[in-house]
């Protein structure tokens, strides 16, 4: 490696979309002669790709800024850049801290080289212009996963929903879909380089739509096109929106073996009153109807969700409705959060954040406890079954074992038996915890 090349160190916070964005950023910087380093101390450029979805995510970044500032002083005078959602949300106030040289929003990454060029300790630079059409479609991301098995592919950016609690539409701008042919090309490229799984990413993948020259490609069609790259390429996607997931998508999954049998379908709450206030645009009944349609077409589908505890004015009755919905659906696993008020959102402007912190915390722990119980039941239900698993690499707990996911997205551990990352293996489930299936090779 050329010792004279400049080095970039990047930390990524938040969702899978941010992981994918960091790979785009690295690709753009590589084009400018940068190489990636995992040692902050040897970097010329320190970047944090940030998340604003909850306050605690932002607090963590503020903590990291102190560390970067010390590094900047002590080390080689690296430039410090905050990019992504928090850059977009906080704008000048980040520059005013005096700890940051570059602030770049999610649609400004092509202009990062210019910002870096112009930045100096007394001349911080900012670009937080949101775009209506940027999708980075032509950029070939630098993969940062360690296994070389599973790649993220961003298929759209932004969001046109205005869920009242959510900051994403403000930090990531309006929804836009990426040219499907570049998506298929990217999938083919990673497949040829040995990857065996792609996850198509968007805030609301079901509203993916590409129209050009009389050609109209829906998300269901896109799924088929990506799945057609090769039968041994697994296709996953996230995130589906309960109001938009269509029968066509469900049928496409059911009829295409290499589209994984897993749907992440965030419900947020089981109470119609809360769903209305959250502006989710569906009811509990609608949600349960979508789950029934999925289970009818794909009986072995894994269904997972996101839940928010303690949204504005949530009562014990609303909370119990969430618990009962969780029981009724039987999610395989869930991401569960306390409501965190985000400045500028509809909820922050219109509704008091009036559920006391200790009540939010207690409700969240009840939700987590229930989900752990349900997960254990769901995982126990898999004991005795034979599953096909894509090997991701050594298990973290016991490196003599391998780990990988089943099609319905359950983590499996099993003896190595000469297999390696990227292999498909058949395993039989012998035991489980609420998060892992313990398996033997068949
Ligand atoms: N677009 C996806 C959707 O609608 O399901 C998810 C986007 S968001 C990055 C991921 C999850 O964060 C949401 O599903 C929600 O549960 C949670 N979330 C978003 N805003 C939140 C807030 N203000 N407080 C707590 N959790 C929040
Ligand atoms: Fe946020 Fe709702 Fe858009 Fe998801 S669909 S990113 S929760 S506004």
């Amino acid at each position: 490696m050329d010792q004279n090349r400049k080095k970039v160190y990047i930390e990524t916070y938040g969702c899978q979309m941010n992981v994918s964005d960091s790979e785009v950023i690295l690709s753009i910087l590589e084009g400018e002669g940068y190489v990636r380093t995992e040692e902050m101390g040897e970097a010329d450029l320190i970047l944090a790709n940030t998340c604003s979805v909850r306050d605690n995510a932002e607090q963590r970044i503020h903590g990291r800024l102190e560390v970067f500032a010390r590094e900047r002083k002590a080390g080689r005078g690296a430039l410090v850049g905050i990019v992504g959602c928090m850059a977009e949300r906080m704008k000048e106030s980040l520059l005013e801290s005096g700890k940051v040289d570059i602030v770049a929003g999610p649609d400004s990454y092509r202009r990062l080289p210019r910002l870096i060029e112009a930045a100096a300790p007394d001349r911080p630079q900012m670009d937080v212009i949101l775009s209506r059409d940027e999708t980075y479609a032509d950029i070939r991301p630098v993969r940062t996963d360690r296994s070389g098995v599973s790649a993220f592919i961003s298929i759209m950016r932004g969001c046109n929903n205005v869920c009242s609690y959510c900051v994403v539409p403000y930090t990531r701008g309006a929804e836009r879909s990426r040219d499907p042919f570049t998506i298929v090309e990217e999938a083919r490229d990673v497949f040829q380089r040995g990857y065996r799984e792609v996850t198509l990413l968007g805030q609301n993948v079901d509203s993916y739509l590409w129209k050009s020259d009389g050609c109209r490609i829906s998300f269901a069609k896109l799924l088929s096109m990506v799945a057609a790259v090769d039968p041994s390429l697994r296709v996953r996607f996230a995130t589906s929106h309960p109001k938009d997931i269509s029968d066509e998508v469900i049928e496409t999954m059911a009829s295409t073996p290499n589209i994984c049998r897993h749907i992440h379908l965030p419900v947020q709450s089981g109470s119609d009153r809360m769903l209305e206030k959250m502006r989710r645009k569906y009811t509990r009944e609608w949600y349960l109807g979508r789950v029934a349609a999925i289970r009818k077409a794909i009986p072995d589908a894994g269904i997972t969700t996101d839940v928010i505890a303690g949204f504005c004015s949530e009562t014990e009755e609303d909370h119990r409705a969430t618990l009962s919905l969780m029981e009724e659906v039987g999610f395989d696993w869930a991401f569960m959060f306390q409501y965190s008020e985000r400045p500028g959102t509809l909820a922050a402007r219109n509704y008091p954040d009036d559920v006391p912190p200790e009540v939010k915390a207690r409700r969240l722990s009840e939700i987590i406890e229930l989900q752990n119980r349900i997960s254990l039941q769901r995982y126990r239900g898999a004991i005795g079954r034979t599953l096909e698993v894509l090997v991701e690499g050594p298990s973290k707990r016991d490196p003599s074992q391998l780990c990988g996911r089943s099609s319905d997205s359950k983590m499996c551990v099993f003896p190595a038996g000469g297999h390696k990352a990227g292999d498909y293996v058949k395993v039989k489930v012998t035991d489980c915890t609420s998060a892992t299936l313990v398996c033997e090779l068949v």
Side-chain angles (χ1 to χ4, degrees):
M1 189 190 299
D2 183 354
Q3 291 301 318
N4 298 322
R5 285 177 75 181
K6 291 207 165 192
K7 296 195 174 78
V8 52
Y9 168 86
I10 187 163
E11 289 185 2
T12 305
Y13 296 86
C15 60
Q16 297 171 331
M17 185 67 94
N18 265 8
V19 175
S20 168
D21 278 6
S22 288
E23 298 183 334
V24 165
I25 292 170
L26 287 172
S27 171
I28 291 168
L29 293 177
E30 218 171 56
E32 295 294 310
Y34 275 88
V35 288
R36 182 176 180 221
T37 173
E38 298 198 19
E39 295 292 328
M40 195 189 337
E42 59 175 40
D44 302 285
L45 175 64
I46 298 172
L47 294 178
N49 189 4
T50 58
C51 172
S52 285
V53 169
R54 283 168 292 277
D55 182 58
N56 54 12
E58 290 197 350
Q59 293 314 323
R60 268 178 78 197
I61 310 287
H62 284 298
R64 292 304 288 162
L65 271 182
E66 302 299 326
V67 177
F68 299 159
R70 279 202 297 276
E71 187 60 43
R72 181 165 68 160
K73 257 197 188 152
R76 354 186 329 154
L79 291 172
V80 173
I82 297 295
V83 304
C85 287
M86 201 172 153
E88 193 65 48
R89 196 184 79 71
M90 298 189 62
K91 303 186 170 66
E92 295 82 4
S93 61
L94 279 171
L95 293 182
E96 283 156 14
S97 71
K99 296 178 188 130
V100 178
D101 304 295
I102 294 160
V103 172
D107 290 342
S108 309
Y109 300 147
R110 284 182 202 270
R111 297 183 292 277
L112 264 177
R114 263 193 272 153
L115 297 174
I116 295 165
E117 174 91 29
D122 54 346
R123 242 185 337 175
Q125 301 291 316
M126 179 169 80
D127 186 333
V128 287
I129 301 166
L130 287 173
S131 160
R132 295 209 144 262
D133 48 25
E134 177 64 272
T135 58
Y136 301 110
D138 56 317
I139 290 179
R140 191 169 148 176
V142 171
R143 304 287 158 193
T144 54
D145 61 288
R146 286 173 200 276
S147 67
V149 172
S150 184
F152 293 133
I153 301 185
S154 168
I155 64 163
M156 59 207 295
R157 299 182 71 80
C159 182
N160 280 356
N161 296 309
V162 195
C163 301
S164 60
Y165 52 82
C166 185
V167 78
V168 169
Y170 307 92
T171 59
R172 289 188 161 269
E175 180 185 288
R176 60 223 103 120
S177 297
R178 174 178 169 189
D179 178 334
F181 303 101
T182 68
I183 296 169
V184 172
E185 201 38 56
E186 192 174 329
R188 192 171 292 130
D189 175 62
V190 294
F191 181 75
Q192 279 163 0
R193 289 196 280 140
Y195 284 79
R196 289 296 172 263
E197 183 174 272
V198 292
T199 305
L200 308 182
L201 297 177
Q203 294 299 344
N204 178 2
V205 289
D206 304 288
S207 71
Y208 176 91
L209 186 62
W210 175 262
K211 283 194 258 183
S212 174
D213 302 333
C215 143
R216 189 180 181 282
I217 291 175
S218 65
F219 180 58
K221 176 75 180 135
L222 178 72
L223 272 178
S224 304
M225 286 163 64
V226 176
V229 164
D230 195 283
S232 64
L233 179 70
R234 275 182 167 187
V235 184
R236 296 186 182 277
F237 55 90
T239 301
S240 302
H241 197 301
K243 77 177 164 62
D244 293 319
I245 186 167
S246 65
D247 291 340
E248 197 193 353
V249 165
I250 298 170
E251 282 154 19
T252 304
M253 287 178 76
S255 61
T256 318
N258 59 322
I259 301 179
C260 288
R261 266 108 186 92
H262 171 225
I263 298 183
H264 187 64
L265 198 64
V267 68
Q268 316 299 359
S269 170
S271 150
D272 279 340
R273 196 178 71 84
M274 287 293 102
L275 289 172
E276 163 100 44
K277 203 163 186 171
M278 289 173 164
R279 285 196 168 217
R280 289 291 285 178
K281 309 254 172 78
Y282 54 83
T283 60
R284 175 187 177 106
E285 193 187 346
W286 172 269
Y287 186 91
L288 292 172
R290 292 287 75 197
V291 168
I294 294 165
R295 292 243 157 95
K296 185 161 175 235
I298 316 164
D300 56 349
I303 302 180
T304 58
T305 202
D306 295 349
V307 179
I308 297 178
F311 185 57
C312 310
S313 85
E314 186 188 72
T315 62
E316 287 303 318
E317 194 186 338
D318 296 318
H319 170 58
R320 280 195 299 274
T322 297
L323 296 174
S324 76
L325 178 129
M326 292 168 66
E327 296 250 31
E328 204 167 331
V329 175
F331 294 109
D332 293 271
W333 46 263
F335 294 122
M336 298 158 281
F337 314 102
Q338 286 185 40
Y339 171 58
S340 164
E341 185 178 81
R342 306 312 296 135
T345 56
L346 282 177
R349 282 183 275 143
N350 297 322
Y351 313 128
D353 178 14
D354 54 2
V355 177
E358 62 282 8
V359 176
K360 280 186 191 170
R362 192 252 306 150
R363 288 182 189 164
L364 178 64
S365 66
E366 288 174 8
I367 286 170
I368 292 173
E369 202 178 302
L370 173 62
Q371 185 53 49
N372 285 345
R373 200 147 36 84
I374 296 170
S375 294
L376 187 59
Q377 265 170 23
R378 300 279 308 166
Y379 279 57
R380 276 195 186 132
I383 293 177
R385 278 175 59 195
T386 299
L387 305 171
E388 187 179 59
V389 173
L390 173 61
V391 180
E392 288 178 16
S395 149
K396 274 191 201 123
R397 285 250 174 97
D398 175 0
S400 73
Q401 301 247 316
L402 291 175
C403 70
R405 281 179 191 282
S406 56
S407 174
D408 66 351
S409 202
K410 292 190 176 70
M411 186 48 83
C412 301
V413 291
F414 44 91
H419 293 290
K420 58 180 191 318
D423 290 351
Y424 283 101
V425 296
K426 284 248 161 34
V427 299
K428 186 169 177 193
V429 185
T430 57
D431 198 0
C432 72
T433 67
S434 63
T436 313
L437 297 176
V438 179
C439 309
E440 60 188 26
L441 294 170
V442 175

